[in-house]
């Protein structure tokens, strides 16, 4: 909808909106018990309740197309219709444009808006139905709904003649279906139920004609054929008389080229969105092959081939699927083709619709509707359900309706219909012509202004048509001047007001329906002054401050205060107790800020308000605190032990930065650690430094922390991770030692070097050793960085031979330092001699005491002894074992069986192994 320039402001101010999706929108389009129409005639307009506002009919439910089965037990058809309106609408119905006589014809009845048809018959009741909803505002017509009747007649009972063909010849068996409505499904029975003809490349049943096509008859096809049809609505089925198929005996049919017997129409019309089925089948010998193509472009990817390629099925057909399609039948004897045109149409759809409108009499209405569709839709207009014709004041062109010089008689319900040959859609709206005397919602009005300020006196009456406006002050007509102006919106504006402007102002509004006056009492007061102190204050984090706001104002006016921070109202409830309002007297208000944080810095405002004035005073609060984080750290250059870093200054929070602390973190460090720098210290005016004494071949992240006179701030964002260059190892293994091991072994161990000090890839150890008194070193490479032990075996050196030992390090960059030389003895081995002077004697019926002495002196000293014992009648493997603590020479065996002989052995052991054993017998007895 749009309006011409002369009435656009009036029309826009009085437009009333509703959720108008065209006639037939669902009941969800409207909230229960409401239809919103908002008017903006003036800010003083009184809003009436929706229940009292009258409005024209709006469809909630419209009739839908229906198919009624004549076989139904209930011979009753119901066509639905429902609408809202105030007053409540009444209903009537039309069939094919003629009024349905629901009063005089007993077959029809109305329940609310629904039409019930009793004893429905196709001859009388088939057709297109429309519902009319009407009240005192006007009437509207629903979309039309087609009522059809489903039925299926019987086949003719006349006997069908036999069809006789040669073997190899093609044949078409005719179905000749009975009268029916709507569509039916065809199938063929072979000989008797339930044996149905199976379709394949040789046999095809057309769902267009119902005929059975056999491209090449075989002896197995001989038999009786019956056509079965099924109604898609009521599922009724009927069978045709049988058609016998026989073979001629005068020979076999030779090969012949294909002949297309079943094909889709020359022109196929399809609605957008449906599934289209194109049929094509040919007779021929050999059996022909069917192929498809689209003459311009490719067959849609969504298309499917059915029935051995005899059917091309295109789901959800779209405009771009239109075009010329060809089916081709081909065998070894030749080929033939058929072409047809597929055309896709679309029903009309709304792009823009009309909306409810209120206008003054004499104004101009301009409505515009737009719809798409193929073919392109045309437009018709209805007023109260009747065709609207062009007149001197009425213009209708391509979906536009213009009515000049509106009159009260033009009020009512209007509908625009967009239609093409495939369907029609409706859009509805109410036109209300306004006519009322001027009226003010509030009267009188008291207005307080301030000396020196501009003031506006409003005059916005509710009236239609627009009223004439005049102003007077103290019963004298107001004369416009350079200070007093009558605005286009009828308000009176006074520039630079003074005490002399005080008085009673009357706005008078009148039109042909009456008049009304609005009185405004204008009072002019001295301006208010606001002082906020201190104007600028500096504090340190954690301190407190009080801002004091003092007001000088007319004592007859009440004053209120509003505190702001950075132009936003200050909410003390959300600030954790840092703020407190203190009002000591009516004209003074203080703001206490406790334990100040950095975020409390900014511009504070105290706004004092009276009914006449609003004044803002501002003060600035600077908060000194630790510095903010420096800018991101960038690694400019990296060596094996240094990293050149740069960063940018962060905020100093009003206290100069004195120093920067450089910190580093690596995978092997315990969190962030301060690193040495060059220069040292890094002063607050610097933005770069070199981290020194780093470890080679270690991945580091760096960050910077700033410090000022208040404290240390938050760290910067870490740099990207970088790895220092490789270098020769600089740390030798610690705690080099040896011992243990088997006889003739030299065992050397050390503490491994952590990854932090390996300085590069290819790290390993160099183990060097020589017997005391010899000159040359033996060196062995240990390639695992995690190794802690090296064993050397030589049968020539005796146990406990002293060796000089040192362990060094290396990596891909070269050899590093060796440890200090230490003396390590070769292993003395496991005990070589058994214990001596072993004795075993009974202590009681369950105890035997065993005693022995150490082996003869020599290598392989025992660190303890193991005693084994078992019954004489058992194997040694089943015996029990007990070990001494240290080098004890006795052991008491307990829990033995009385008067039982035991075999007992003793052997020494150490960390390398066990020595030979000595045996004795013993008996536990009294």
């Amino acid at each position: 909808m749009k309006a011409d320039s002369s009435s656009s402001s009036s029309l826009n101010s009085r437009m009333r909106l509703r959720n108008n999706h065209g006639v037939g929108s669902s009941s969800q389009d409207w909230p229960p018990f409401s239809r919103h129409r908002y008017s903006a005639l003036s800010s003083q307009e009184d809003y009436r309740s929706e229940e009292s506002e009258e409005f024209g009919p709006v469809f909630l439910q419209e009739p839908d197309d229906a198919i009624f089965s004549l076989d139904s037990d209930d011979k009753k058809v119901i066509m639905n219709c429902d609408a809202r309106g105030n007053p409540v609408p009444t209903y009537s119905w039309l069939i094919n444009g003629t009024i349905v006589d629901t009063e005089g014809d007993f077959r029809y009845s109305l329940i609310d808006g629904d039409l019930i048809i009793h004893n429905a018959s196709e001859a009388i009741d088939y057709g297109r139905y429309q519902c009319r909803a009407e009240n005192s505002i006007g009437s509207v017509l629903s979309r039309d709904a087609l009522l059809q009747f489903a039925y299926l007649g019987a086949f003719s009972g006349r006997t069908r003649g036999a069809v006789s063909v040669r073997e190899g010849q093609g044949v078409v068996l005719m179905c000749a279906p009975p009268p029916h409505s709507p569509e039916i499904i065809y199938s063929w029975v072979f000989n008797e139920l339930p044996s149905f003809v199976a379709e394949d490349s040789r046999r095809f049943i057309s769902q267009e004609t119902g005929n059975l096509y056999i491209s090449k008859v075989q002896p197995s096809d001989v038999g009786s054929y019956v056509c079965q049809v099924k109604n898609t609505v009521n599922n009724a089925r009927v069978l045709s008389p049988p058609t016998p198929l026989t073979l001629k005996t005068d020979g076999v049919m030779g090969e012949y080229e294909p002949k297309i017997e079943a094909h889709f129409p020359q022109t196929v019309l399809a609605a957008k969105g449906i599934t289209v089925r194109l049929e094509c089948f040919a007779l021929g010998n050999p059996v022909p092959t069917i192929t498809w193509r689209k003459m311009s472009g490719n067959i849609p990817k969504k298309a499917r081939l059915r029935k051995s390629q005899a059917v091309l099925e295109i789901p959800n057909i779209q405009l771009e699927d239109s075009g010329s399609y060809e089916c081709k039948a081909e065998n070894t004897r030749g080929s033939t083709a058929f072409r047809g045109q597929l055309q896709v149409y679309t029903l009309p759809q709304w792009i823009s619709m009309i909306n409810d409108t209120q206008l003054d009499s004499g104004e101009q209405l301009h409505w515009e509707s737009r719809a798409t569709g193929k073919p392109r839709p045309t437009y018709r207009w209805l007023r109260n359900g009747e065709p609207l014709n062009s007149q001197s004041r009425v213009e209708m062109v391509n979906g536009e309706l213009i009515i000049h010089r509106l009159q009260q008689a033009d009020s009512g319900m209007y509908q625009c219909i967009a239609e093409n040959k495939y369907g029609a859609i409706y859009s509805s709206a109410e036109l209300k012509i306004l006519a009322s005397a001027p009226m003010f919602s509030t009267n009188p009005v008291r207005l307080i202004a301030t000396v020196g300020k501009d003031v506006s006196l409003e005059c916005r009456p509710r009236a239609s048509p627009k009223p004439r406006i005049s102003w007077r002050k103290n019963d004298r007509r107001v004369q416009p001047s350079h200070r007093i102006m009558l605005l286009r919106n009828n308000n009176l504006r006074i520039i630079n007001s003074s005490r002399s402007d005080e008085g009673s102002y009357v706005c008078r509004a009148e039109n042909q329906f009456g008049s009304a006056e609005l009185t405004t009492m204008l009072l002019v007061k001295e301006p208010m002054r606001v002082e906020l102190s201190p104007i600028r204050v500096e504090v340190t984090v954690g301190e407190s401050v009080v801002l004091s706001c003092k007001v000088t104002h007319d004592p007859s006016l009440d004053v209120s205060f509003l505190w702001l921070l950075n132009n936003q109202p200050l909410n003390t409830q959300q600030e954790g107790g840092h703020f407190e309002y203190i009002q000591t007297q009516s004209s003074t208000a203080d703001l206490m800020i406790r334990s100040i944080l950095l975020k409390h810095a900014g511009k504070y405002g105290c706004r004092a308000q009276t009914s006449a004035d609003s004044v803002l005073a501002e003060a600035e609060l600077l908060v000194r605190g630790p510095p903010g984080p420096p800018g991101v750290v960038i690694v400019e250059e990296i060596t094996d032990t240094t990293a050149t870093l740069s960063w940018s200054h962060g905020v100093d929070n009003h206290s100069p930065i004195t120093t920067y602390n450089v910190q580093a973190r690596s995978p092997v460090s315990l969190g962030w650690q301060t690193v040495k720098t060059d220069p040292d210290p890094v002063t607050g005016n610097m933005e770069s430094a070199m981290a020194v004494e780093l470890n080679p071949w270690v991945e580091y992240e760096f960050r910077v922390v700033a410090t000022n006179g208040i404290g240390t701030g938050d760290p910067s964002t870490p740099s990207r991770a970088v790895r220092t260059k490789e270098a020769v190892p600089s740390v030798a293994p610690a705690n080099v030692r040896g011992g243990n091991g088997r006889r003739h072994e030299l065992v050397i161990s050390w503490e491994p070097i952590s990854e932090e000090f390996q300085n590069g890839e290819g790290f390993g150890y160099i183990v060097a050793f020589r017997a005391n008194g010899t000159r040359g070193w033996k060196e062995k490479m240990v390639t695992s960085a995690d190794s802690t032990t090296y064993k050397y075996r030589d049968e020539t050196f005796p146990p406990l031979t002293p060796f000089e030992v040192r362990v060094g390090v290396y990596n891909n960059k070269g050899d590093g330092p060796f440890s200090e030389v230490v003396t390590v003895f070769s292993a003395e081995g496991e005990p070589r001699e058994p214990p001596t002077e072993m004795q075993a004697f009974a202590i009681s019926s369950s105890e035997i005491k065993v005693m022995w002495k150490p082996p003869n002196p020599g290598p392989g000293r025992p660190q303890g002894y193991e005693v084994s014992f078992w019954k004489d009648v058992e194997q040694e493997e089943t015996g029990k074992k007990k070990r001494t603590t240290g080098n004890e020479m006795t052991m008491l065996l307990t829990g033995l069986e009385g008067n039982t002989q035991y075999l007992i052995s003793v052997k020494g052991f150490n960390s390398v192994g066990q020595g030979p054993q000595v045996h004795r017998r013993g008996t536990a007895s009294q």
Side-chain angles (χ1 to χ4, degrees):
M1 183 193 71
K2 63 182 180 180
D4 63 353
S5 59
S6 65
S7 62
S8 61
S9 62
S10 171
L11 183 147
N12 290 336
S13 69
R14 287 185 289 268
M15 182 186 299
R16 299 190 298 175
L17 304 179
R18 65 175 172 182
N19 189 359
N20 189 341
H21 298 288
V23 171
S25 56
S26 69
S27 59
Q28 284 80 6
D29 293 338
W30 299 99
F33 309 112
S34 67
R35 186 178 91 160
H36 294 288
R37 293 182 177 180
Y38 296 110
S39 298
L41 293 176
S42 77
S43 62
Q44 301 169 336
E45 178 179 357
D46 58 329
Y47 292 96
R48 297 172 295 172
S49 66
E50 294 172 359
E51 286 79 2
S52 64
E53 181 184 1
E54 294 187 350
F55 59 90
V58 180
F59 280 114
L60 301 178
Q61 184 180 19
E62 296 180 80
D64 292 312
D65 291 346
I67 301 176
F68 181 74
S69 176
L70 291 176
D71 295 337
S72 172
D73 294 334
D74 185 5
K75 297 295 184 179
K76 182 169 62 177
V77 177
I78 301 177
M79 305 293 283
N80 299 113
C81 182
D82 187 21
R84 296 195 65 239
N86 190 13
V88 175
T90 59
Y91 301 90
S92 58
W93 284 80
L94 295 88
I95 176 172
N96 300 325
T98 302
I99 292 291
V100 175
D101 185 6
T102 56
E103 297 290 337
D105 192 334
F106 70 92
R107 294 193 317 111
Y108 301 108
S109 60
L110 278 178
I111 297 181
D112 295 327
D114 296 343
L115 175 66
I116 294 100
I117 307 174
H118 304 274
N119 297 319
S121 70
E122 183 184 25
I124 302 174
D125 299 314
Y126 174 89
R128 295 192 173 273
Y129 287 75
Q130 281 182 289
C131 173
R132 183 199 298 269
E134 183 174 7
N135 65 10
S136 59
I137 304 299
S139 61
V140 289
L141 279 181
S142 73
R143 65 172 177 241
D144 61 6
L146 178 62
L147 175 59
Q148 303 179 73
F149 291 82
Y151 60 89
L152 180 60
F155 279 95
S156 168
R158 189 175 59 220
T159 301
R160 299 192 175 190
V163 177
S164 183
V165 294
R166 294 188 180 92
E167 181 182 348
Q169 186 178 353
V171 68
V172 178
L173 302 182
M174 312 298 287
C175 179
H180 60 272
S181 175
E183 298 83 4
I184 54 178
I185 297 175
Y186 298 91
S187 57
W188 282 78
V189 178
F190 180 55
N191 288 331
E192 60 182 14
L193 286 171
S195 176
F196 287 91
V197 173
E199 295 179 83
D200 52 26
S201 61
R202 198 172 60 83
R203 292 170 294 189
F204 175 69
I205 300 171
S206 171
Q207 294 302 319
E208 296 294 332
T209 65
N211 298 337
L212 171 61
Y213 301 84
I214 304 177
S215 63
K216 174 186 173 184
V217 174
Q218 298 176 353
S220 60
D221 296 324
V222 172
S224 176
Y225 290 83
V226 173
C227 178
Q228 175 181 275
V229 296
K230 173 185 173 183
N231 190 295
T232 56
V233 174
N234 58 18
N235 292 323
R237 293 177 173 85
V238 292
L239 299 172
S240 71
T243 300
L245 177 63
T246 63
L247 286 182
K248 294 182 178 180
T249 58
D250 56 353
V252 176
M253 185 74 173
E255 294 184 351
Y256 64 96
E257 65 183 13
K259 178 184 179 184
I260 295 177
E261 286 288 349
H263 58 74
F264 56 97
Q266 196 82 37
T267 301
V268 178
L269 297 175
K272 177 183 174 182
I274 70 165
T275 297
V276 172
R277 297 176 76 259
L278 305 180
E279 294 184 348
C280 184
F281 190 79
L283 309 184
N285 187 5
V287 175
T289 300
I290 305 295
T291 57
W292 294 83
R293 67 170 176 159
K294 187 179 180 185
M295 304 309 295
S296 55
N298 298 321
I299 289 179
K301 291 183 178 180
K302 60 189 173 183
R304 298 290 181 267
L305 291 172
R306 312 285 189 196
K307 305 283 187 73
S308 299
Q309 304 191 122
V311 175
L312 175 65
E313 187 174 278
I314 309 175
N316 190 24
I317 198 81
Q318 300 296 311
L319 292 174
E320 59 267 23
D321 299 328
S322 300
S324 178
Y325 288 79
E326 178 188 86
C327 74
K328 183 178 182 181
E330 187 174 15
N331 64 11
T332 56
R333 304 297 296 178
S335 64
T336 184
F338 175 81
R339 290 181 187 174
Q341 195 74 20
L342 174 59
Q343 297 179 2
V344 180
Y345 65 85
T346 61
L347 299 173
Q349 287 185 308
W350 288 118
I351 299 174
S352 62
M353 298 184 292
I354 58 177
N355 290 305
D356 292 350
T357 303
Q358 294 183 150
L359 291 173
D360 292 333
S361 61
E363 290 188 317
Q364 175 179 294
L365 169 72
H366 188 170
W367 266 332
E368 183 175 9
S369 292
R370 284 287 177 265
T372 60
K374 185 177 180 181
R376 181 180 299 174
T378 59
Y379 302 89
R380 293 186 291 120
W381 289 85
L382 304 178
R383 178 177 173 275
N384 293 329
E386 300 297 333
L388 186 63
N389 299 316
S390 295
Q391 305 169 10
S392 58
R393 293 188 304 112
V394 180
E395 299 178 36
M396 293 178 290
V397 181
N398 293 328
E400 292 186 67
L401 172 63
I402 301 174
I403 304 179
H404 303 276
R405 303 182 304 280
L406 286 169
Q407 302 171 3
Q408 191 67 37
D410 295 322
S411 296
M413 298 299 300
Y414 288 75
Q415 291 179 280
C416 179
I417 306 172
E419 58 189 344
N420 61 20
K421 63 181 180 178
Y422 300 110
I425 53 177
Y426 289 62
S427 174
S428 304
E430 178 185 341
L431 174 62
K432 179 174 287 188
I433 307 302
L434 303 175
S436 64
M439 181 176 63
F440 293 98
S441 60
T442 58
N443 201 0
V445 175
R446 185 171 179 265
L447 183 62
I448 302 176
T450 303
V451 172
K453 298 293 182 66
D454 298 348
V455 61
S456 289
L457 282 66
E458 287 192 352
C459 181
R460 294 186 179 180
R462 181 178 177 182
S464 182
K466 294 179 182 178
R468 298 179 298 278
I469 303 297
S470 61
W471 282 88
R472 67 180 187 273
K473 177 189 177 187
N474 300 331
D475 295 330
R476 296 185 61 180
R477 188 177 185 85
V478 174
Q479 298 297 329
S481 65
H482 68 283
R483 269 198 334 110
I484 302 177
M485 293 176 285
L486 182 61
L487 304 181
R488 296 182 64 180
N489 63 1
N490 298 324
N491 291 350
L492 188 67
R493 186 171 184 80
I494 303 175
I495 308 298
N496 190 20
S497 60
S498 65
R499 298 297 293 269
S500 63
D501 293 320
E502 289 187 332
S504 175
Y505 291 80
V506 176
C507 166
R508 180 178 176 82
E510 56 184 327
N511 63 13
Q512 64 264 40
F513 298 105
S515 63
E517 291 184 345
L518 171 66
T519 300
T520 302
M521 291 298 300
L522 176 62
L523 302 175
V524 182
K525 303 291 185 178
E526 290 298 324
M528 178 171 52
R529 295 191 303 275
V530 181
E531 179 183 356
L532 181 59
S533 62
I535 296 177
R536 188 176 189 275
V537 61
E538 294 188 15
V539 295
T540 301
V541 168
E543 295 180 346
S544 300
V545 70
V546 175
L547 300 179
S548 183
C549 185
K550 296 182 180 180
V551 179
T552 303
H553 65 98
D554 188 306
S556 66
L557 302 176
D558 293 330
V559 63
S560 62
F561 296 87
L562 175 66
W563 287 93
L564 301 99
L565 174 57
N566 297 324
N567 299 319
Q568 297 297 320
L570 191 58
N571 188 340
T572 59
Q573 303 301 319
Q574 297 179 356
E575 293 296 334
H578 290 280
F579 294 90
E580 181 183 356
Y581 296 146
I582 304 172
Q583 188 161 354
T584 56
Q585 50 187 329
S586 61
S587 60
T588 303
D590 295 340
L591 177 65
M592 167 73 80
I593 312 174
R594 296 188 180 90
S595 303
I596 288 176
L597 305 177
L598 285 172
K599 68 177 183 177
H600 295 150
K603 183 183 293 184
Y604 285 79
C606 173
R607 182 178 296 281
Q609 293 176 297
T610 67
S611 56
D613 205 359
S614 176
V615 179
L616 174 67
E618 293 182 321
E620 184 177 8
L621 176 63
L622 299 178
V623 180
R624 297 185 298 268
V632 64
V633 177
I634 298 175
V635 181
E636 305 282 358
E637 185 179 357
I638 192 81
T639 69
D640 56 346
T641 59
T642 67
T644 302
L645 312 174
S646 66
W647 60 90
S648 59
H649 289 301
V651 294
D652 62 9
N653 289 324
H654 309 294
S655 178
I657 296 172
T658 55
T659 59
Y660 287 102
N661 175 251
V662 178
Q663 299 176 346
R665 177 174 66 181
S666 72
V668 295
S669 68
L670 297 174
W672 290 95
Q673 305 289 328
T674 298
V675 296
K676 292 184 178 180
T677 58
D678 182 18
D680 187 14
V682 182
T683 59
N685 60 348
M686 296 181 178
E687 291 185 305
S688 64
M690 179 184 291
V692 299
E693 298 185 16
L694 303 176
N695 291 322
W697 198 241
V698 173
E699 190 175 77
Y700 287 99
E701 295 176 279
F702 299 94
R703 72 181 187 184
V704 178
V705 183
T707 301
N708 63 11
I710 309 299
T712 299
D714 293 329
S716 68
T717 302
S719 71
R720 63 181 178 88
V722 294
R723 185 182 287 275
T724 50
K725 304 292 186 183
E726 290 182 284
V728 173
S730 57
V731 177
N735 196 19
V736 177
R737 58 198 184 279
N740 298 326
R742 295 188 176 277
R743 189 178 297 120
H744 307 302
E745 284 185 347
L746 174 65
V747 180
I748 304 170
S749 60
W750 60 92
E751 290 184 2
I753 301 298
S754 68
E755 183 182 353
E756 185 178 6
F757 299 104
Q758 293 176 6
N759 292 6
E761 292 186 307
F763 181 84
Y765 300 95
I766 304 171
V767 180
F769 54 92
R770 65 185 178 186
N772 281 7
T774 61
R775 297 180 60 84
W777 291 89
K778 290 182 181 292
E779 291 189 349
K780 299 296 182 180
M781 310 291 286
V782 179
T783 58
S784 172
D786 297 325
S787 295
T788 60
T789 303
Y790 174 75
K791 293 181 180 180
Y792 176 73
R793 184 175 183 82
D794 189 336
E795 300 286 344
T796 63
F797 58 74
L800 298 176
T801 302
F803 284 83
E804 290 181 305
V805 174
R806 63 181 182 177
V807 180
V809 289
Y810 72 93
N811 63 16
N812 289 346
K813 299 293 286 186
D815 294 347
F818 276 92
S819 67
E820 297 291 331
V821 176
V822 298
T823 299
V824 174
F825 290 88
S826 65
E828 58 180 333
E830 67 275 6
R832 300 175 61 184
E833 298 291 335
T836 61
E837 299 182 25
M838 177 184 172
Q839 301 179 48
F841 51 88
I843 298 298
S844 67
S845 61
S846 61
E847 295 176 318
I848 296 177
K849 186 174 183 179
V850 184
M851 302 176 64
W852 64 89
K853 289 186 178 180
N856 296 324
R861 290 168 295 181
Q863 295 174 348
Y865 295 90
E866 181 179 276
V867 178
S868 301
F869 55 99
W870 62 97
K871 295 178 182 179
D872 189 25
V873 295
E874 295 176 344
Q875 297 296 319
E876 181 178 356
E877 290 76 13
T878 65
K880 297 180 180 179
K881 295 180 174 60
K882 296 178 70 175
R883 285 192 171 189
T884 65
T885 303
N887 277 312
E888 294 179 359
M889 303 296 175
T890 63
M891 180 176 290
L892 182 64
L893 306 181
T894 61
L896 305 179
E897 294 183 11
N899 299 318
T900 302
Q901 191 173 51
Y902 285 86
L903 289 178
I904 304 170
S905 69
V906 181
K907 54 186 173 184
F909 68 87
N910 59 20
S911 60
V912 179
Q914 297 177 341
Q917 61 185 6
V918 59
H919 293 84
R920 289 289 183 272
R921 296 180 183 273
T923 303
S925 62
Q926 292 291 344

